[in-house]
Amino acid sequence: MFKKIIVLILIILAFKSCTKDDICPDGTATTSNLVIQFNDIINPLNSKNVEVLTVLTDNIDSVAVVTRLSTNSITIPLNTNSDTTKYMFIRSIISTTDTIVNIDKVSFMYQRKDGYVNRACGFKMEFDNLESNLENEGTENWIQQVSVIRDTVNDENSPHITMLH
């Protein structure tokens, strides 16, 4: 009986020693991803799905960050160690006889700013003065235009970028 009381007291003390700041609760704001919406080049107010989309980092160790079938929006991370992030946006058109792959390169430039969240969650990165640059391939681009809607990336509530295709 004495051992059970000691164990119970130890459990109570363990939970009592944790404060609210020791645990980062779900839903706490952390570093936000860039939200991209795909719209129709003919009618820019209408969203338009990309049927087969893959987004890769544009560097030596190229990594897929998104692979989607039929999507009109995506979220991708920005590099927290640099003021520039480069991606390759790959659209594949698959027919019964052929597969056409088209790669467009887009760079995102910004200024990084650390924001303190709390003791448990630490810091989050915010990105200000967002700009984009579509590498021009003339008639070979499947992305026709990239527009910045919101130039501060600090949440994922609405699109930051619109890509017209």
Side-chain angles (χ1 to χ4, degrees):
M1 181 69 177
F2 182 68
K3 288 182 181 179
K4 289 182 182 180
I5 293 173
I6 291 176
V7 170
L8 183 62
I9 291 172
L10 288 175
I11 290 172
I12 291 171
L13 288 175
F15 281 111
K16 204 160 172 60
S17 65
C18 284
T19 65
K20 185 179 178 183
D21 277 352
D22 290 339
I23 300 170
C24 187
D26 289 340
T28 302
T30 56
T31 299
S32 298
N33 289 323
L34 180 69
V35 179
I36 299 173
Q37 181 173 336
F38 297 97
N39 285 3
D40 190 354
I41 187 69
I42 296 169
N43 191 349
L45 298 178
N46 290 346
S47 67
K48 181 179 178 183
N49 284 355
V50 180
E51 294 308 318
V52 180
L53 176 67
T54 303
V55 180
L56 302 174
T57 56
D58 187 15
N59 55 32
I60 294 170
D61 302 325
S62 190
V63 176
V65 293
V66 171
T67 300
R68 296 268 169 79
L69 298 176
S70 191
T71 187
N72 66 357
S73 68
I74 58 171
T75 59
I76 57 176
L78 294 173
N79 188 341
T80 58
N81 297 316
S82 173
D83 289 339
T84 302
T85 303
K86 297 179 182 181
Y87 283 110
M88 294 184 290
F89 289 79
I90 304 168
R91 180 183 73 168
S92 302
I93 299 174
I94 302 169
S95 68
T96 55
T97 58
D98 204 5
T99 300
I100 300 170
V101 176
N102 192 324
I103 302 171
D104 285 354
K105 294 182 179 184
V106 180
S107 300
F108 301 102
M109 295 75 61
Y110 42 82
Q111 294 171 345
R112 296 169 288 146
K113 182 173 76 173
D114 279 332
Y116 182 73
V117 178
N118 61 36
R119 189 174 86 181
C121 301
F123 289 86
K124 71 175 189 170
M125 185 72 63
E126 292 185 2
F127 307 97
D128 293 327
N129 302 317
L130 178 66
E131 296 178 13
S132 64
N133 182 43
L134 171 64
E135 187 176 297
N136 189 356
E137 299 175 22
T139 59
E140 298 297 316
N141 283 96
W142 70 270
I143 300 170
Q144 299 297 308
Q145 183 179 341
V146 179
S147 300
V148 175
I149 299 170
R150 295 190 303 143
D151 70 349
T152 299
V153 179
N154 59 4
D155 64 42
E156 297 177 13
N157 297 332
S158 62
H160 303 100
I161 299 281
T162 297
M163 291 187 175
L164 302 177
H165 67 105

